[in-house]
Amino acid sequence: MGESGTDVDPAARLRIDLLGPVGVRRGEAPLDSGPVRRQAVLAALALRDGTLITRQQLLDDVWGTEPPGTGHRVLPSYVYPLRKALDAPGTATARSVIRGERGGYRFVAGAARTDVAELTERTAEGRRAKAAGSIDTALELYSRALELFRGEPLAGLPGPFAEAERQRLAQHRRALQQERAECLVLLGRFADALDGLAASAVSQPYDEALAALRMRALYGSGRQAEALAFYRDMRRRLLEELGLEPGEELRRIHQGVLRRDDALLLGVGVGAGAGAGARAGAAGPPSAVGAAARPRRPRVDLPGDTACLVGREAELALLTAPVPDGAVSVAAVDGTAGVGKTALVVRAAWTLHGQYPDGCLFVDLRTHDGAQESVGPRRALRRLLRAVGSDADSLPDDLDELVGAWRAATSALRLLLVVDDARSAEQVRPLLPAGPGSRVLVAGRGRLPDLDADLHLTVEPLGTAAAVELLRQLLGEERADSEPQAARELARRCGGLPLALRITGARLQHRPAWTMAHLAGRMPDDEHGLDELRAGDRSVEAAFRLSYDQLPPELRRAFRTVGTAPTYAFDGLTPAVMLGCSREAAEDLMERLVDASLLQQPRPDRYRPHDLVRAHARRLAEAAPEEAAADRAAVLRLYVAAGRGAGEWGPGGFPTGPAGLGTPFGDWRAAAAWLEAAGAELVDVVAYAVAAGEYNHACWIAESLVDHLVRQGRSHESRAALELVLPYAEMSTDRRMPASLRNCLGVTDIHGGRLRQARAWFADALHRAGSHGDPLDRARAIAGLGIVEWPLGHTEEAVAHLNQAAELATGLDDNWLAGMVVCNLGGIHGRQGRHEQAFEHYDAALAFAEKNGRPGLIARFLCFAADAQLALGRHAEAASLVGRAAELARDAGEEELRTVTLTRLGTVEHGRGHLSRAVDLHREALSTLTDRTSTWLEMDVRIRLGQSYAAAGRRAEARQQFRDALALPGADAHVPAFGAALDGLNTC
């Protein structure tokens, strides 16, 4: 492929689609662009086609203010798999579509075709056609350009660059829609223009150019009065909300409507060619069109449209999309209390009302109105029948007869009906009109899965940007923009709920001396936030309480467990242990709470309440203290069981703990998967236990999580949990805890590369365990001292400690500890060149690991044994050991273990003389490194890759790997790897 990429066969040309979810293909074959962060790197490079992007700029583009701990060293692990996916097979790095140059990367100009470039081209062609008077051609080009959008541009990609591009492309899309609408007006296709302008007018209420186009389309449709009324509404909105008069162009269009100036408004008699003729023929005299088509005045009893509705463009588009004419269309909208369902359906109804000549009706069932009695189907039908002209005195009392009368009365009507605050499908079904082409919009807190609806739409809380924008509209841009950080904090405290944001806005409007920062300070957490989110008769908590009070008893009990759960998100097992029921029964209760819009379901079998709903649930739980205490103890025992089951230490590694601790997990995989699903919230569980005064459980959970977390490269989380609980160890009734937690900190610091801190923790643990302390804690402390002493250069002390620990571990029947001790003795022998003795120790460690039974532990010891065989020149034996380790690594599911086996396989290939294959394997291992990867493992991979480069004569690349290894944070603490890197650098 040439530098510009122009000499590539079109069938093999790369195509990158960014106007929606990212898609990459070569010809017609799709390519794997990887996870969203890797896609964000690709977008940042491809959209700057041919421009060199520095590493720092790329980090800023994709990670923003939260760069990875390894800095720009993380970038190769994103760029390498992109090259592997995008480049044709066999392409050398120097000919890749992504070139690494001094200080950064560059996507080769023209190496790929993007839909963004195609969008720019079609837009430019359309504007040239329009300027030349070819309106039909311009319309086609604009339509084809808009077809390129497959959803939100760069959908789901993180980082400031992707966000800025999303905003730019969204603005481009809006401009295209506006230019297309103008072409439709010039061609006399006024109804089509109005359809296209409807959604834009809602999302851009102050756009005067859009308003002018809408007035022209209304005028062309013979609706001069509506055009003038629209101008009056626009002028009022501009004056009241922005303090501005309409601009000169909008006033000129207004005057044109008043004067019936066809030439100005419709282009009649202006321009040349087919476009002008089509306009003249299609439009006709506006006054004649109006006289022929003017409908009778329909009844519209919709509530007033809210002035501030932001962030609902997608939902509004769904609710106002065209529906079949031959049937009654039903859309059901649900969402938690205060999320803005009514405002949304009312805005949709006002947007649609011109399409329903026989009326737009509204009925509020008041299911959650604590001040008034709810409206049943009988009362609702009477109101609706009166609204369509039925005689109130002649209406029957029987519900079935009322339903029949309603269907008969509406059979010939085309109506729009809004039903608000519905609780069940049974309430709604009798109210459905019978007239073909009628439309019903239903809003309610609970989902109505048994209602036959064309659309079921759940309204979610606003995102932060939209929530801030709503505050700006409520408070005024000047006041909101003067405190941008406080505005974001208030939006976050309100959880994106429009009701909460409106109450916040009202409080600030009535207290001009208050700053937004002051109010945010009064809301330091969700509990205080509930207290502050009330104004007059409006209260967020009161809205939640109405939802809770209408639940049956079993759901109220289930909802209170939500307030006791130690994590924001949870699966069915958490409430199951608190309720003392099966997981299936608990999940059924949770699903019913989801249907009631009191829980969210971010993914299957995972539940999460809105932050403010969770605070309300916590208050309800605290009102029943004995029940809450029992729930709390049950769920904390669950985390102790999960941590102990997921770790490799085995049952013997925890001699104390809750009495009779059982486990709901079938095996270690199930326990590990359950903990992994909790993500970063595990530390919060420990904090929750501490805050509740459950010091025993807090210590047991922190201790049990250590092995699970450090093996996943999450030593910082392990350290955070242990540091959180350490001050309370003396308050625990388990007297092991002061020594055990310090041993755990030592283990954590070894994995985090802080060897000297680890040595101090082990020494303190040994002192606290003493000669009469728990023998397991004493043995672990001695073993820990031996493990850290030898990389720190104190080999004799290390051997003495490890030999002593080996004797203690064997007597304790602790296979995990015994295996670790013997393995480290093998490492010392190997470092001293005694590889036969090293292999014997690794073989003994393997025996302990096999008794332990965990595949990850066995795989790690196999890799060490393979190193000894490689040092002895036994490549076949080493390959067999690494092959077994790779199979076990897949079974264990540990990412770091996969890295270890890949780079060992590379070393095997190196030893066999297959240097190209060795380099590929080491680079693949390098691509698996993440922000969690330990320093020692990254050093090991880079040193092995450098050694293979050097053996292949690629000395510059070898030197770079050795330099990168030495530059890693804390590299000098890893003496063996540090020495190997220096040796390799000196050799090169």
Side-chain angles (χ1 to χ4, degrees):
M1 182 173 64
E3 178 69 11
S4 67
T6 57
D7 57 345
V8 176
D9 180 354
R13 186 74 177 273
L14 277 177
R15 169 77 177 197
I16 302 175
D17 291 327
L18 302 165
L19 297 174
V22 173
V24 184
R25 63 183 186 271
R26 181 181 301 283
E28 296 302 320
L31 304 178
D32 181 14
S33 56
V36 291
R37 188 82 71 179
R38 192 186 303 165
Q39 293 175 9
V41 172
L42 173 61
L45 292 168
L47 285 173
R48 297 192 182 101
D49 200 21
T51 302
L52 178 66
I53 313 300
T54 67
R55 293 187 180 92
Q56 187 58 52
Q57 181 62 57
L58 200 51
L59 284 176
D60 293 343
D61 286 346
V62 178
W63 281 269
T65 58
E66 299 179 356
T70 52
H72 64 75
R73 290 189 299 279
V74 77
L75 291 176
S77 66
Y78 289 85
V79 172
Y80 175 72
L82 282 174
R83 286 172 171 162
K84 191 172 181 180
L86 301 180
D87 292 341
T91 302
T93 302
R95 306 295 291 171
S96 173
V97 296
I98 301 177
R99 305 288 171 84
E101 299 182 9
R102 182 176 296 275
Y105 297 96
R106 175 170 61 87
F107 198 95
V108 174
R113 178 73 166 159
T114 68
D115 54 357
V116 174
E118 192 171 338
L119 174 71
T120 302
E121 292 168 7
R122 289 185 186 179
T123 303
E125 291 172 5
R127 287 170 179 165
R128 286 194 294 271
K130 184 181 176 187
S134 183
I135 307 302
D136 290 301
T137 302
L139 176 63
E140 180 184 357
L141 287 164
Y142 288 148
S143 299
R144 287 174 55 204
L146 286 166
E147 288 170 0
L148 292 169
F149 287 92
R150 298 170 292 108
E152 181 185 49
L154 289 82
L157 298 198
F161 178 80
E163 180 59 30
E165 283 299 296
R166 267 192 292 272
Q167 294 178 11
R168 179 183 71 83
L169 292 167
Q171 179 60 38
H172 191 136
R173 188 180 198 173
R174 290 192 292 269
L176 271 176
Q177 290 168 335
Q178 184 173 327
E179 294 185 60
R180 181 180 180 276
E182 184 172 16
C183 289
L184 290 169
V185 169
L186 293 172
L187 291 168
R189 294 168 56 181
F190 306 116
D192 291 340
L194 286 170
D195 286 344
L197 289 167
S200 297
V202 171
S203 61
Q204 302 167 77
Y206 309 114
D207 191 314
E208 295 188 32
L210 279 176
L213 268 176
R214 187 175 182 85
M215 290 174 64
R216 290 168 64 187
L218 287 168
Y219 175 81
S221 301
R223 296 153 68 180
Q224 181 191 29
E226 284 187 58
L228 294 172
F230 181 77
Y231 175 80
R232 289 194 297 272
D233 290 342
M234 183 71 178
R235 180 173 181 270
R236 174 188 55 76
R237 188 159 58 245
L238 289 171
L239 282 170
E240 291 180 358
E241 298 175 20
L242 302 181
L244 300 173
E245 282 282 359
E248 180 181 350
E249 177 61 18
L250 188 56
R251 293 198 304 272
R252 191 167 72 91
I253 295 299
H254 176 234
Q255 290 300 312
V257 175
L258 288 171
R259 295 194 307 269
R260 300 181 182 273
D261 187 341
D262 290 0
L264 169 65
L265 300 173
L266 309 178
V268 176
V270 179
R279 290 193 297 274
S287 57
V289 172
R294 193 179 308 279
R296 67 175 179 81
R297 183 171 181 81
R299 171 165 176 153
V300 178
D301 60 5
L302 299 171
D305 190 7
T306 180
C308 303
L309 185 74
V310 299
R312 300 301 188 201
E313 293 80 9
E315 294 91 338
L316 198 59
L318 289 171
L319 291 174
T320 58
V323 294
D325 289 334
V328 177
S329 174
V330 180
V333 179
D334 63 80
T336 193
V339 82
K341 303 174 294 295
T342 301
L344 173 63
V345 296
V346 168
R347 171 64 63 85
W350 277 109
T351 303
L352 293 166
H353 84 280
Q355 303 175 24
Y356 295 89
D358 297 309
C360 301
L361 308 180
F362 180 90
V363 58
D364 185 355
L365 300 182
R366 294 175 182 164
T367 299
H368 296 90
D369 189 339
Q372 301 188 53
E373 182 183 355
S374 63
V375 176
R378 185 178 283 104
R379 289 176 61 193
L381 283 169
R382 286 179 172 277
R383 292 181 185 180
L384 291 171
L385 281 163
R386 290 196 298 270
V388 296
S390 297
D391 183 2
D393 295 332
S394 64
L395 294 178
D397 290 327
D398 182 74
L399 177 59
D400 290 340
E401 293 181 12
L402 281 169
V403 171
W406 169 244
R407 290 172 180 167
T410 58
S411 61
L413 301 180
R414 182 182 171 92
L415 290 171
L416 173 64
L417 172 64
V418 177
V419 181
D420 192 27
D421 203 12
R423 185 171 64 183
S424 68
E426 288 76 12
Q427 288 180 301
V428 177
R429 289 193 193 100
L431 311 183
L432 300 180
S438 293
R439 188 187 299 223
V440 183
L441 305 178
V442 183
R445 296 187 185 183
R447 295 179 179 176
L448 306 178
D450 50 345
L451 179 65
D452 291 332
D454 306 283
L455 173 68
H456 286 275
L457 176 65
T458 297
V459 182
E460 302 291 352
L462 297 172
T464 302
V468 170
E469 180 58 30
L470 179 54
L471 278 177
R472 293 177 78 236
Q473 293 192 19
L474 292 168
L475 296 174
E477 294 181 7
E478 183 177 355
R479 185 175 182 185
D481 291 348
S482 66
E483 297 180 81
Q485 293 301 322
R488 289 181 64 85
E489 182 61 20
L490 276 180
R492 190 180 70 81
R493 290 292 179 200
C494 291
L497 285 182
L499 173 62
L501 291 160
R502 291 180 184 280
I503 290 174
T504 296
R507 296 197 71 190
L508 289 169
Q509 288 170 4
H510 288 92
R511 291 169 175 78
W514 280 19
T515 63
M516 287 188 289
H518 172 75
L519 181 54
R522 294 171 63 96
M523 303 166 65
D525 52 42
D526 296 330
E527 296 275 353
H528 289 85
L530 282 178
D531 294 331
E532 293 295 325
L533 292 174
R534 60 180 72 247
D537 61 349
R538 292 196 301 175
S539 162
V540 171
E541 185 166 26
F544 294 157
R545 184 70 195 222
L546 285 169
S547 294
Y548 172 78
D549 287 343
Q550 293 193 4
L551 297 175
E554 69 274 12
L555 281 188
R556 291 187 210 171
R557 173 69 178 100
F559 183 66
R560 292 195 294 275
T561 68
V562 173
T564 314
T567 59
Y568 278 93
F570 51 86
D571 67 354
L573 186 58
T574 298
V577 299
M578 289 191 275
L579 294 169
C581 65
S582 69
R583 182 169 183 160
E584 292 74 15
E587 286 175 348
D588 179 66
L589 293 168
M590 295 302 108
E591 292 292 336
R592 290 167 65 188
L593 289 174
V594 170
D595 287 341
S597 294
L598 286 168
L599 274 185
Q600 300 165 343
Q601 195 168 35
R603 61 180 187 271
D605 301 326
R606 198 80 184 161
Y607 307 98
R608 178 195 169 126
H610 183 278
D611 291 350
L612 295 174
V613 172
R614 182 174 188 248
H616 177 58
R618 189 181 300 119
R619 286 187 173 181
L620 292 170
E622 289 170 352
E626 291 184 4
E627 176 187 275
D631 288 354
R632 187 164 49 244
V635 76
L636 292 176
R637 284 167 61 88
L638 176 64
Y639 278 92
V640 175
R644 294 184 175 188
E648 290 182 346
W649 292 358
F654 304 96
T656 59
L661 181 67
T663 177
F665 305 105
D667 58 17
W668 66 268
R669 294 175 183 82
W674 190 80
L675 290 175
E676 184 64 19
E681 289 193 81
L682 292 176
V683 178
D684 296 334
V685 176
V686 177
Y688 169 90
V690 169
E694 296 277 358
Y695 302 127
N696 280 343
H697 282 103
C699 291
W700 292 330
I701 294 170
E703 177 192 42
S704 72
L705 289 174
V706 170
D707 187 59
H708 170 75
L709 290 174
V710 297
R711 283 187 294 104
Q712 292 187 331
R714 297 161 63 184
S715 58
H716 60 290
E717 292 178 54
S718 177
R719 170 175 266 272
L722 292 165
E723 288 180 340
L724 183 65
V725 79
L726 189 62
Y728 303 95
E730 302 292 345
M731 301 181 191
S732 171
T733 60
D734 187 342
R735 303 320 305 161
R736 278 189 57 244
M737 286 301 106
S740 178
L741 294 180
R742 285 165 172 81
N743 274 330
C744 289
L745 279 161
V747 171
T748 298
D749 279 343
I750 286 176
H751 283 265
R754 294 179 290 270
L755 300 182
R756 290 179 176 82
Q757 295 94 317
R759 180 171 58 185
W761 286 120
F762 288 128
D764 193 7
L766 183 59
H767 170 72
R768 289 173 182 271
S771 59
H772 301 293
D774 186 89
L776 176 64
D777 292 313
R778 187 163 179 271
R780 284 192 178 169
I782 294 169
L785 287 170
I787 290 170
V788 297
E789 290 288 8
W790 79 273
L792 291 174
H794 309 143
T795 306
E796 290 184 7
E797 294 91 330
V799 171
H801 284 309
L802 290 170
N803 283 328
Q804 183 184 3
E807 293 178 11
L808 292 171
T810 303
L812 292 167
D813 196 26
D814 188 333
N815 293 313
W816 177 85
L817 182 58
M820 285 293 175
V821 170
V822 176
C823 184
N824 276 272
L825 283 168
I828 293 174
H829 284 299
R831 183 62 181 167
Q832 293 173 338
R834 297 191 295 272
H835 301 298
E836 285 286 5
Q837 294 93 323
F839 179 76
E840 290 173 3
H841 279 81
Y842 293 143
D843 197 41
L846 271 170
F848 286 118
E850 285 166 354
K851 288 181 183 179
N852 178 279
R854 291 295 295 274
L857 189 64
I858 298 170
R860 283 191 289 278
F861 290 170
L862 283 169
C863 287
F864 288 123
D867 280 340
Q869 295 286 42
L870 284 168
L872 293 166
R874 301 168 185 166
H875 300 125
E877 291 86 344
S880 175
L881 291 170
V882 178
R884 284 180 56 201
E887 291 178 8
L888 290 165
R890 283 190 291 272
D891 189 27
E894 294 180 33
E895 194 62 34
E896 280 205 359
L897 197 48
R898 178 168 175 259
T899 306
V900 169
T901 56
L902 279 170
T903 199
R904 291 303 196 287
L905 286 170
T907 305
V908 169
E909 293 300 323
H910 183 143
R912 288 172 163 173
H914 305 153
L915 296 178
S916 177
R917 175 64 177 153
V919 165
D920 287 343
L921 285 164
H922 290 314
R923 288 179 58 181
E924 186 177 354
L926 197 63
S927 73
T928 66
L929 301 180
T930 68
D931 295 346
R932 295 178 176 182
T933 303
S934 61
T935 295
W936 75 264
L937 179 54
E938 183 170 352
M939 285 188 77
D940 186 55
V941 174
R942 292 189 180 280
I943 290 166
R944 291 172 189 261
L945 176 56
Q947 289 168 340
S948 293
Y949 274 142
R954 299 163 65 175
R955 297 190 176 279
E957 291 164 291
R959 278 195 296 272
Q960 186 60 55
Q961 290 303 322
F962 293 136
R963 289 194 187 102
D964 288 346
L966 291 169
L968 290 171
D972 57 343
H974 299 274
V975 173
F978 187 80
L982 282 175
D983 292 344
L985 192 58
N986 292 332
T987 303
C988 288

